[in-house]
Amino acid sequence: MKLASISRYPVKSTAGHEVTEAEVQPWGLAGDRRYVITDESGAVLTARQEPRLLACVPVLDGGALTLTGPHADPLAVIPTGTRSVVHLPRTSVEVTDCGDDAAAWLSGLAGRPVRLRWLDDPTRRPVDPMYGRPEDRVSLADAFPLLLTTTASLARLNEWIAGTALELGEEPRPLPMRRFRPNVVIDGVAEAFAEDEWKRLRIGEVEFRVSKGCDRCVLTTVDTTTYRKGKEPLRTLARHRKRDGKVWFGVNLIPDLIPGTYGRVAQGDPVLVL
């Protein structure tokens, strides 16, 4: 097995981009989900509510963030230092506002007043204690530092989707992996959904714990080209991958790093289940 691709999403719930290598930090890939969009009251806004946010492509150059999109010229983001609190699943965390220019740029895309906030210190947010250790941390991802998927599982899911479409007299439309917003995609897995049983793995020289499977939400139904919601993959996952009232695709990872150290992964790295 090998690491087929690496993706990071600098602004939560906007477009991601692939990189050939990435630093692994205790709370996720360097630069991944350190920014979040909120409404004016401070409530987190995602592409579940505003699919047009997926048209925003954040570009990281070192530690500097630039927003690009179809509605306006690119904008360099400069955090202002003004602090506020945002509420995320299970936790609230203090973040830094990114100023009126970023707010206006994103409001123009979203079609409603929004603001951009930055998590300057990711050590503030613990992972769910049911699935992690007291010292585990996560940035602004929904729950855990990284999400892993496999090409074998997507191939099987697309076979199921094609079968569902044929039964209903619809045109089969396979889904791309980007619908699932993984950080790392593994190729060469012998069986689809083998990752459900993994507990620990090593990618290159970095070890990870598998914290739990990933239950999927309506965001996976948004076409990343048209930004319209459809029925797949949730319709087919509900037929084949439903348990505990949820549907599942991919697994969440927590880096197992020596305190105070970082790791690094690269495309092509060998993957070993421990």
Side-chain angles (χ1 to χ4, degrees), residues 19-190:
V19 293
T20 57
E21 61 178 350
E23 184 176 74
V24 180
Q25 300 172 339
W27 40 83
L29 299 182
D32 186 58
R33 295 176 173 94
R34 292 289 294 275
Y35 293 82
V36 64
I37 299 167
T38 73
D39 64 18
E40 290 188 308
S41 72
V44 172
L45 186 68
T46 74
R48 299 176 184 93
Q49 298 88 29
E50 294 291 348
R52 286 173 294 182
L53 294 179
L54 294 174
C56 173
V57 182
V59 178
L60 278 174
D61 183 7
L65 177 71
T66 299
L67 304 178
T68 69
H71 68 297
D73 291 336
L75 178 75
V77 172
I78 304 174
T80 64
T82 303
R83 298 293 185 88
S84 61
V85 173
V86 297
H87 303 287
L88 294 151
R90 301 177 299 96
T91 57
S92 298
V93 64
E94 188 177 64
V95 292
T96 299
D97 189 79
C98 292
D100 292 341
D101 288 345
W105 194 97
L106 284 165
S107 296
L109 179 63
R112 57 189 284 190
V114 301
R115 298 201 71 84
L116 183 65
R117 323 274 185 169
W118 174 52
L119 179 62
D120 58 304
D121 182 2
T123 65
R124 295 192 185 112
R125 189 174 177 229
V127 305
D128 187 337
M130 288 186 61
Y131 302 100
R133 299 171 181 170
E135 66 272 19
D136 291 334
R137 293 295 182 267
V138 60
S139 59
L140 295 171
D142 279 351
F144 298 97
L146 285 89
L147 174 65
L148 175 149
T149 59
T150 71
T151 56
S153 296
L154 180 63
R156 177 66 54 81
L157 175 59
N158 277 326
E159 290 174 1
W160 290 338
I161 288 173
T164 300
L166 290 173
E167 286 179 23
L168 298 174
E170 300 172 358
E171 180 183 352
R173 294 182 178 178
L175 299 183
M177 189 67 85
R178 62 178 176 272
R179 281 282 192 103
F180 300 93
R181 301 175 67 79
N183 292 112
V184 290
V185 178
I186 308 304
D187 196 15
V189 180

Side-chain angles (χ1 to χ4, degrees), residues 9 11-16 37 46-48 50-58 68-70 106 109-110 178-179 181 218-229:
Y9 309 82
V11 180
K12 181 180 177 69
S13 219
T14 63
I37 299 167
T46 74
R48 299 176 184 93
E50 294 291 348
R52 286 173 294 182
L53 294 179
L54 294 174
C56 173
V57 182
T68 69
L106 284 165
L109 179 63
R178 62 178 176 272
R179 281 282 192 103
R181 301 175 67 79
V218 70
L219 184 55
T220 59
T221 69
V222 178
D223 187 304
T224 54
T225 302
T226 65
Y227 314 117
R228 296 174 181 170
K229 293 179 182 178

Side-chain angles (χ1 to χ4, degrees), residues 133 198-201 207-210 256 272-274:
R133 299 171 181 170
W198 297 351
K199 303 300 181 185
R200 295 177 61 86
L201 71 154
E207 293 189 7
F208 299 86
R209 284 173 277 134
V210 179
D256 231 356
L272 177 66
V273 176
L274 303 176

